[in-house]
Amino acid sequence: MTPFLTAFFSGTAQGAIYALVSLGLVLVWRSAGVVNFAQMGQAMFTTYIASQLIQHSYSYWSAFLIALISGAALGALVDLGLMRPLTSRKNSQLLNSQSMRTTIPVIASLGILGVLKALAGIFWAGEERGFPSPVAPNAIKIGDTSLAITGFDLFVIGVVFLTLVLTTIFFTKTGMGLAMRASALNPEVTRLSGIKVGSVRTLGWAISGIASSLAGLLVTPRTNLSPNTLDLLLIIGFTAAVVGGLSSLAGSVLGGFILGYVISFVNVYSAPENVFIAILAFLLLALFIRPQGILGSKEVRSV
Amino acid sequence: MSKVKTYKVIGLRSTLLSLILFLFFILLSKQFEPYNQSQLANIAMLLIAVLSITLLTGASGQISLGQGAIMAVGGYSSALLVTRLGLSMWLAFILAIFISALFGLFLGLAAARLSGPYLAGTTLVMALAIPSIAVRFETFFSGDVGLSVDYGMPPEWLTNLVGEISIEEWSLYVVLPFTAVALFAVLNLLNTRTGRTWRAVRDNEVAAALAGINIGRTKVIVFVCASGLAGLAGALYGFRGLVAPSVYPTDLSLTLLTAAVIGGLRSIGGAIFGTFVIVFLPDLIEKVTKNFAIPETVGIYLPALTIGLLLLLTVILNPRGAAGALEHIRHKKKH
């Protein structure tokens, strides 16, 4: 196996997971105008729930399903319990200033992240634990040469592909998906045409919760699970979303795969300790060359 | 809100307030045993970093989740100057301010183009990437092991003057003058024309630009000032014993932001209060929970949980923090 193909295959599998994280971030950004820094904290929490269920001898798939449902519930809860009251309060003196309206939700999401991490530590002792995968992580062989891709990698790529197809169908073929796109584009007009913009927003948070829970379930068989393991995924997902365009769903997926290849090629051709610096350099480069992202539109970005 | 005061009055008031803070810390330290004296020194140095957030987020509306990384820049530059070039600690601290400010200039040039979540995310990536540079260039920065530096021993003239002092007290004496000067500088910056310019940019960029303010340049200047402060705090923080990537984790950046928010982003008194909370609250919780039979894992995570909840409640109920609540009560009494 040449190093190039090794990097390519592992980049595809990693990129699929980054695409999910970045998709989750963009969903919330488009529907609520908030970058949710607690997103992978929520995913960490639901992955712990799945892990507990599996330890209590539930099957992998029922735990998988419950994790996704609790991901949706947690996302909706964050919106209803925190973000909606926060952004609807217009009379607050602090929120009157332009810059603080975008800053306060960021701080709130960091608060949620801190609370979720501490709760996970209290409930589940906080030590690193493994997480099972439904497919054995053995390299696939064709004849005698083993490929640099494992059965689990194929499983990840398959699940993500299925999710992306379902998301596309949801946004292009269903009324609810159309309502979400409309309210992201112009909330006032959408409200006038009789759509409950608030509920649509909560739905955006819930779908984002499902996408990030899925990312948590798919990444932890490789990285193990602890309150802090998914932090890195958030940073990579954010970079992917900015590279692809925070305002574009397709862009976020593209950005995820690009980041997957960048990280995997840096890992193979350079050294693992260069990864963080590569991410920072890549993010700054993207912001300088094309601040609205590859597929983003210029107007939507509020600078 | 506030009347425009002459520079003389502002300067006098800033000097007085800084002196009061200095004396307050000294008097407080006399009541404490060594452990709490070193905690007090921690407060004095972290306060400088929290003040940098008061400038950045409170006064000019730019968010940074990477102040810990700038502290690392200050820490590494001072530690390298002392261990490699044999400079005196005091000179190294002052040079660290300039090196971090220069770093802040580059950062500001990039950040002036960003706002809100873009800036938050980019600085968060920076908080993770910068300490990893120390591991990447291991021969120069000593990697994960880090550089051992300390405040040294109290000089003879001081022990002659005030009698024997502990190492913990000495660390407080080293840090406090810097804290007082930093407070003086911040008070002056915020209460004069500079601060008014920053607040104008924060509240409405278009209006500020129409009033003749150069938005981009103002943002860069704020970043330079805030980075200088954070770098100084990082240098003092590192000289407690070790400058290493583990001393400046991502969580440090978030803790500093928490302190600023809990106390009140727009208030210097709030910054002082918030710093006291994040340093002393974990000790207080430990003291209280010792009396109850609480499992060990709960005890470890209880401070983080309390501080996280405190941050959330502040943002939801009273985004202006403790200082804002105090002002609200005072306002009510008047009417």
Side-chain angles (χ1 to χ4, degrees):
Chain A
M1 204 82 224
T2 62
F4 179 84
L5 282 178
T6 310
F8 178 78
F9 283 136
S10 95
T12 313
Q14 282 177 46
I17 295 171
Y18 302 154
L20 278 181
V21 179
S22 150
L23 182 72
L25 283 170
V26 168
L27 272 168
V28 166
W29 171 253
R30 273 175 47 124
S31 57
V34 172
V35 171
N36 181 16
F37 284 95
Q39 181 176 293
M40 295 325 284
Q42 291 163 233
M44 173 273 297
F45 208 77
T46 55
T47 312
Y48 261 112
I49 292 175
S51 164
Q52 282 306 104
L53 288 172
I54 291 169
Q55 275 188 8
H56 288 83
S57 57
Y58 280 76
S59 76
Y60 177 85
W61 289 107
S62 58
F64 188 89
L65 202 65
I66 291 172
L68 294 189
I69 294 170
S70 42
L74 203 55
L77 190 73
V78 169
D79 183 42
L80 290 175
L82 187 68
M83 291 303 176
R84 204 188 284 193
L86 202 64
T87 42
S88 65
R89 192 171 45 182
K90 290 274 187 286
N91 55 354
S92 160
Q93 204 193 343
L94 195 75
L95 291 175
N96 270 344
S97 82
Q98 220 173 43
S99 53
M100 292 318 271
R101 266 199 294 278
T102 52
T103 303
I104 289 290
V106 169
I107 296 173
S109 71
L110 290 170
I112 300 170
L113 181 66
V115 169
L116 284 175
K117 275 188 188 176
L119 282 179
I122 289 174
F123 292 157
W124 301 299
E127 68 223 16
E128 201 170 294
R129 54 165 90 173
F131 190 78
S133 66
V135 184
N138 297 328
I140 290 177
K141 285 184 179 175
I142 298 177
D144 284 338
T145 51
S146 72
L147 298 175
I149 193 161
T150 66
F152 180 66
D153 286 337
L154 285 181
F155 170 74
V156 168
I157 293 168
V159 169
V160 173
F161 183 71
L162 189 67
T163 315
L164 293 180
V165 169
L166 287 177
T167 317
T168 314
I169 292 174
F170 174 77
F171 276 105
T172 52
K173 299 277 191 268
T174 67
M176 206 63 213
L178 193 66
M180 274 189 76
R181 277 162 63 199
S183 61
L185 211 61
N186 193 332
E188 282 309 307
V189 173
T190 314
R191 198 190 309 273
L192 286 175
S193 55
I195 289 162
K196 285 186 178 140
V197 176
S199 318
V200 168
R201 234 178 81 165
T202 310
L203 186 69
W205 277 90
I207 299 177
S208 156
I210 297 176
S212 42
S213 285
L214 189 58
L217 292 168
L218 293 179
V219 82
T220 37
R222 203 190 292 276
T223 62
N224 289 343
L225 179 61
S226 83
N228 296 322
T229 34
L230 298 184
D231 288 357
L232 185 59
L233 214 54
L234 175 88
I235 285 167
I236 296 171
F238 173 82
T239 309
V242 170
V243 168
L246 257 183
S247 57
S248 159
L249 290 175
S252 73
V253 174
L254 180 67
F257 280 102
I258 292 176
L259 254 281
Y261 293 127
V262 166
I263 291 172
S264 153
F265 276 93
V266 168
N267 254 328
V268 170
Y269 284 98
S270 165
E273 62 260 29
N274 290 344
V275 164
F276 294 140
I277 305 162
I279 296 173
L280 180 65
F282 197 65
L283 176 63
L284 290 177
L285 202 68
L287 284 169
F288 267 107
I289 296 172
R290 202 175 159 79
Q292 72 272 33
I294 296 172
L295 296 179
S297 48
K298 202 146 200 176
E299 301 82 45
V300 184
R301 184 174 174 247
S302 59
V303 176
Chain B
M1 245 171 56
S2 58
K3 279 167 271 170
V4 177
K5 299 185 185 85
T6 61
Y7 284 96
K8 210 171 162 187
V9 175
I10 293 165
L12 212 63
R13 209 178 64 123
S14 310
T15 317
L16 210 65
L17 285 172
S18 307
L19 276 177
I20 290 172
L21 180 95
F22 187 88
L23 288 176
F24 172 70
F25 269 72
I26 296 275
L27 288 176
L28 201 60
S29 77
K30 295 287 175 207
Q31 319 298 319
F32 282 161
E33 72 277 30
Y35 172 73
N36 277 335
Q37 281 172 348
S38 72
Q39 288 288 77
L40 207 57
N42 280 345
I43 290 178
M45 49 188 110
L46 289 178
L47 175 59
I48 304 175
V50 175
L51 283 175
S52 82
I53 295 178
T54 309
L55 286 190
L56 208 57
T57 314
S60 88
Q62 308 186 79
I63 190 167
S64 166
L65 309 182
Q67 290 307 94
I70 301 171
M71 284 178 71
V73 172
Y76 271 102
S77 37
S78 58
L80 286 172
L81 286 171
V82 168
T83 53
R84 298 279 149 83
L85 298 180
L87 252 55
S88 101
M89 168 178 89
W90 304 94
L91 189 60
F93 287 154
I94 290 162
L95 285 176
I97 301 176
F98 289 104
I99 295 168
S100 328
L102 191 69
F103 181 81
L105 177 68
F106 292 119
L107 182 66
L109 287 175
R113 303 164 55 127
L114 308 174
S115 72
Y118 283 90
L119 189 55
T122 310
T123 46
L124 186 63
V125 176
M126 192 187 75
L128 202 76
I130 299 237
S132 84
I133 290 177
V135 185
R136 173 67 188 79
F137 300 100
E138 203 178 344
T139 41
F140 191 66
F141 292 111
S142 322
D144 281 322
V145 182
L147 304 151
S148 311
V149 277
D150 57 45
Y151 297 120
M153 297 301 282
E156 228 169 84
W157 62 265
L158 189 71
T159 44
N160 288 341
L161 197 70
V162 295
E164 280 302 312
I165 52 174
S166 62
I167 291 286
E168 288 83 3
E169 247 180 320
W170 170 234
S171 70
L172 184 66
Y173 288 155
V174 172
V175 176
L176 260 186
F178 287 104
T179 312
V181 173
L183 181 71
F184 174 78
V186 170
L187 279 168
N188 271 329
L189 277 174
L190 289 186
N191 288 322
T192 51
R193 182 195 164 90
T194 323
R196 286 196 295 278
T197 312
W198 293 359
R199 284 191 289 272
V201 171
R202 173 194 72 193
D203 287 341
N204 194 330
E205 283 190 14
V206 178
L210 284 173
I213 295 168
N214 184 336
I215 305 287
R217 200 177 63 186
T218 308
K219 286 185 171 178
V220 173
I221 291 173
V222 179
F223 256 96
V224 169
C225 295
S227 302
L229 283 176
L232 172 63
L236 296 166
Y237 198 64
F239 271 68
R240 293 177 312 161
L242 184 69
V243 170
S246 60
V247 179
Y248 308 98
T250 317
D251 281 347
L252 177 64
S253 305
L254 302 186
T255 309
L256 295 173
L257 185 69
T258 305
V261 173
I262 289 176
L265 274 171
R266 294 197 179 164
S267 148
I268 287 167
I272 298 171
F273 174 77
T275 316
F276 267 89
V277 169
I278 53 154
V279 173
F280 274 128
L281 192 65
D283 291 346
L284 195 72
I285 291 171
E286 200 193 311
K287 228 177 232 168
V288 172
T289 51
K290 233 195 288 178
N291 303 324
F292 303 98
I294 288 179
E296 198 189 337
T297 53
V298 179
I300 296 170
Y301 287 96
L302 210 54
L305 182 66
T306 319
I307 288 176
L309 284 175
L310 211 55
L311 177 65
L312 269 186
L313 285 176
T314 308
V315 171
I316 299 169
L317 301 176
N318 172 37
R320 295 171 70 208
L326 205 67
E327 200 178 295
H328 189 72
I329 294 165
R330 222 185 288 157
H331 200 68
K332 256 189 182 165
K333 266 187 187 161
K334 267 187 198 165
H335 293 287

